[in-house]
């Protein structure tokens, strides 16, 4: 079995405009090995989030392909792509995207229930992972009753409840103060190790990048490897 969990080949993304088109990037290549933690850095608006969305099948590329465990992510229908995304990929965003009318337990359990897991089983798994992120006492709290750091921990729990192979995090500490952000970062790093994840973090924070096995810089439509160490 290949040690490459994720491979992007000649990846490009273009958006139509009223006159012409906007080409964000083209011909990008990327590989993520099993157990690896990679950081992607770059200025705002350079295309980092767009790139992450393509790697995670939230958006389809204009050209090229993405292989997850050797299979083309976009070979199937939108429904099939969504099923793979639900089972194999976990997302953490800068904005928490928690549903305000639902409790932490309900928010975390949603990915499982969307897949068809019975509610009782989904709640049991959600409780387990809330305990893992030290929020078991907030299971019945709604997002408005939680601090920013607690909301992000709920979002991390939701990302991991399906036991994904791949974790994608887009500025996971960007909406938090430095002290809270440090705690969330350490939680992500700890979960990456304990769960044997393969992870990509988009970040502006050079301190976060120092914890990663590989650091890439996205600039002028190109992705350059800045540093690498064994995973």
């Amino acid at each position: 079995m290949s040690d490459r969990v994720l491979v992007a080949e000649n990846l490009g993304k273009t958006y139509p405009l009223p006159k012409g088109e906007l080409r964000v990037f083209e011909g990008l290549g990327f590989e993520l090995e099993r157990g690896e933690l990679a950081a992607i850095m770059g200025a705002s608006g350079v295309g980092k989030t767009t790139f992450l969305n393509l790697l995670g099948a939230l958006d389809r590329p204009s050209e090229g392909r993405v292989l997850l465990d050797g299979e083309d992510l976009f070979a199937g229908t939108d429904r099939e792509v969504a099923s793979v995304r639900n089972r194999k990929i976990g997302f953490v965003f800068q904005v928490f995207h928690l549903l305000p009318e639902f409790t932490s337990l309900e928010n975390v359990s949603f990915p499982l229930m969307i897949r068809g897991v019975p509610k009782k089983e989904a709640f049991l798994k959600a409780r387990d992972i809330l305990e893992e992120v030290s929020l078991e006492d907030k299971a019945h709290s709604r997002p408005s009753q939680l601090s920013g750091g607690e909301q992000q921990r709920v979002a991390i729990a939701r990302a991991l409840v399906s036991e994904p192979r791949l974790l994608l995090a887009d500025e996971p500490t960007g909406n938090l103060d430095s002290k809270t952000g440090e705690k969330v970062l350490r939680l992500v790093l700890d979960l990456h190790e304990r769960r044997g994840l393969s992870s990509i973090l988009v970040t502006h924070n050079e301190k976060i990048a120092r914890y990663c096995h590989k650091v890439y810089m996205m600039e002028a439509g190109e992705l350059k490897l800045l540093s690498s160490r064994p995973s």
Side-chain angles (χ1 to χ4, degrees):
M1 179 183 292
S2 171
D3 282 336
R4 298 184 303 174
V5 172
L6 187 72
V7 178
E9 298 176 344
N10 298 312
L11 209 59
K13 185 63 180 179
T14 301
Y15 293 100
L17 297 175
K19 294 183 179 179
E21 61 184 22
L22 172 64
R23 180 170 290 277
V24 183
F25 48 72
E26 62 182 330
L28 292 190
F30 179 82
E31 295 183 358
L32 184 72
E33 295 184 4
R34 201 173 312 280
E36 196 169 64
L37 178 64
I40 298 177
M41 304 185 69
S44 296
V46 77
K48 303 184 303 298
T49 294
T50 299
F51 185 58
L52 202 69
N53 287 345
L54 298 181
L55 296 180
L58 288 175
D59 194 9
R60 285 183 179 264
S62 302
E63 61 259 351
R65 62 178 188 161
V66 178
L67 305 176
L68 180 60
D69 290 330
E71 297 184 5
D72 189 340
L73 262 182
F74 300 104
T77 64
D78 287 349
R79 187 183 185 93
E80 289 167 337
V81 171
S83 176
V84 173
R85 188 172 61 234
N86 177 274
R87 290 183 288 108
K88 291 191 173 185
I89 306 174
F91 295 90
V92 179
F93 303 96
Q94 181 175 350
V95 179
F96 313 129
H97 292 306
L98 300 178
L99 297 172
E101 66 272 31
F102 295 105
T103 66
S104 301
L105 184 68
E106 290 167 333
N107 269 284
V108 173
S109 66
F110 276 147
L112 296 176
M113 290 195 284
I114 288 171
R115 193 197 300 176
V117 174
K119 183 176 180 180
K120 183 177 180 180
E121 182 182 344
F123 274 17
L124 284 173
K125 289 188 175 183
R127 284 184 186 279
D128 286 344
I129 197 162
L130 281 171
E131 183 175 353
E132 196 170 351
V133 300
S134 302
L135 281 179
E136 61 272 24
D137 60 329
K138 303 290 185 179
H140 298 291
S141 299
R142 288 179 169 80
S144 62
Q145 299 170 305
L146 303 174
S147 68
E150 288 171 338
Q151 289 184 61
Q152 189 62 299
R153 280 190 279 156
V154 172
I156 291 168
R158 180 185 58 193
L160 297 180
V161 73
S162 295
E163 300 182 3
R165 309 260 301 146
L166 177 67
L167 176 66
L168 304 178
D170 190 358
E171 295 283 0
T173 64
N175 270 349
L176 305 173
D177 63 75
S178 58
K179 185 176 180 180
T180 304
E182 178 74 18
K183 290 180 180 178
V184 167
L185 170 61
R186 294 195 175 278
L187 174 63
V188 170
L189 296 173
D190 181 52
L191 290 167
H192 169 85
E193 291 291 336
R194 282 194 284 122
R195 288 178 162 260
L197 294 166
S198 304
S199 307
I200 302 172
L201 307 181
V202 163
T203 182
H204 286 98
N205 190 331
E206 293 184 6
K207 185 176 181 180
I208 292 177
R210 289 202 297 268
Y211 291 100
C212 297
H213 301 119
K214 289 182 180 175
V215 179
Y216 295 85
M217 177 66 70
M218 182 171 281
E219 190 175 29
E222 295 184 359
L223 191 65
K224 299 176 181 179
L225 179 63
L226 296 183
S227 65
S228 177
R229 63 179 176 84
S231 56

